[in-house]
Amino acid sequence: MPKYKLKDVINKDKLEEILKKFSEATGLAAIIADKDGVNITAPSKFTNHCNLVRSTEKGRKYCYLSDAKLGKLSLQKGGPATSVCHCELVDLAAPLVVEGQCLGYILCGQVFLKPPDEEKIERARKRAINFGIDPDLYLKSFLEIEIVPEKYIYTAGEMLHIISNYIIELGINRLFQERLLEETKRRSEYENAIKSLELKALQSQVNPHFLFNTLNTAARLAYLENANKTAEIIYSLANLLHYSLRNLNQLVTLKEEISCIKYYLYIQQIRYKDHIKASIDVPEELEKYLIPVMSLQPLVENAIVHGLEKKKEGGEVKINAYEKNSDIYIEIIDDGIGIEEKMIKILKQSKEAIDGHTTGLGIYNVDLRIKRYFGQMYGLNIESKLGEGTKVTVKIPKKVER
């Protein structure tokens, strides 16, 4: 893998937006730093105390050293790690690693696990003098630091670890796509290279809104109950992201595709509670047949986001499958708000149509990939009535050899 610098890989504006949403959801300060602890992004929800310390040259230097030390600790651990900074606040770091290469760290925290005692307060007063800061002003900001449970820090850290590495994967993919495009323009295989690039781009489009809707849900659960259900939602998200990273050229079994849908539905049902119901009825004897990876999840998501989410009283999405002659039919049925006939044509025929929130894969792309694999007689059929709901039928052949 080529040697990348973190500032070349990330989209700074988008990453700062993501960190802002993370801080809003968890209440934790967050920042991206390179391997030396130097800040790459603007601070997100930094405490008054830390802003005060970093306003001095000596304090800023010590902060960078603390961040770098904690980052290296997380790299050695292979995941989120916590430590006490030079100002005796608890911080957490997660390494940004792609194919064995550490590009930097995401850091968050700036909290206490318990109220500071008299000795810690006295040490804080001495630090203020050392930094050249008014001791009373320093102590005031020091005693304003939030106190949170240790379990909550680790729960947020696990989620941060998943998201941080995925962010870098997206950045590497983006650079790869840009360089591949430049190279293929100088060669005669321009058309084939573009097809490959389009697939890679589709694979890497994970919408931050979905990630942080899920993050908000996980953060609320962490406050309201023990970590069991939080662990389940993080587990479901991790598996969904891992599945979405698979090569879009792959064929997978219907069983694997249904597993992906179950992870997605679990997250959405935690988020929406009784507002959205779901059922899956796929006969076991059909689970062995093959389908292009990530063909069904975008259709289920479309049913929820554009059909049920906008329906005041909520509704239900059903996933059914049956065989007819030598073909398999999979139906995604919702009783949502329905789709206008002209919009159905746009969804099926336009590459610019609405993409899935989670993966960037829209109806057009799903239909196109099925036809490329199996021929023009296969693909999607959409039936809808306004105010009654929508049924999307996927037709594939009985294929078991990859």
Side-chain angles (χ1 to χ4, degrees), residues 6 11 16 34-35 46 50 52 63 116 120 127 173 185 215 221 232 239-240 271 274 300 318 320 329 346 367:
L6 186 57
N11 182 317
E16 287 179 347
D34 64 17
K35 291 190 294 183
F46 263 35
C50 292
L52 183 63
C63 286
K120 185 176 286 188
R127 277 197 304 275
N173 283 339
K185 280 182 178 179
L215 178 58
L221 289 172
E232 290 176 11
N239 279 280
L240 178 59
R271 180 184 170 199
D274 295 333
V300 175
K318 299 178 181 179
N320 305 322
Y329 294 84
I346 294 173
D367 188 51

Side-chain angles (χ1 to χ4, degrees), residues 188-229:
S188 61
E189 301 116 18
Y190 179 84
E191 184 176 352
N192 289 334
I194 287 297
K195 288 179 182 178
S196 173
L197 188 61
E198 285 176 345
L199 289 177
K200 192 68 176 178
L202 289 172
Q203 185 179 0
S204 65
Q205 290 173 6
V206 171
N207 192 303
H209 295 294
F210 172 79
L211 288 176
F212 285 95
N213 281 335
T214 305
L215 178 58
N216 273 305
T217 304
R220 287 195 296 269
L221 289 172
Y223 276 117
L224 296 173
E225 59 193 55
N226 293 327
N228 291 339
K229 190 169 283 189

Side-chain angles (χ1 to χ4, degrees), residues 248-265:
L248 290 180
N249 287 318
Q250 283 185 342
L251 290 175
V252 297
T253 63
L254 191 53
K255 182 178 182 179
E256 292 175 275
E257 194 72 2
I258 293 298
S259 293
C260 170
I261 292 175
K262 288 179 179 178
Y263 292 130
Y264 174 77
L265 287 175

Side-chain angles (χ1 to χ4, degrees), residues 70-79 81 94-97 100-102 105:
L70 177 55
K72 290 174 182 176
L73 177 64
S74 70
L75 182 62
Q76 292 171 0
K77 185 179 177 182
L96 299 172
V97 179
Q101 182 182 343
C102 179
Y105 312 98

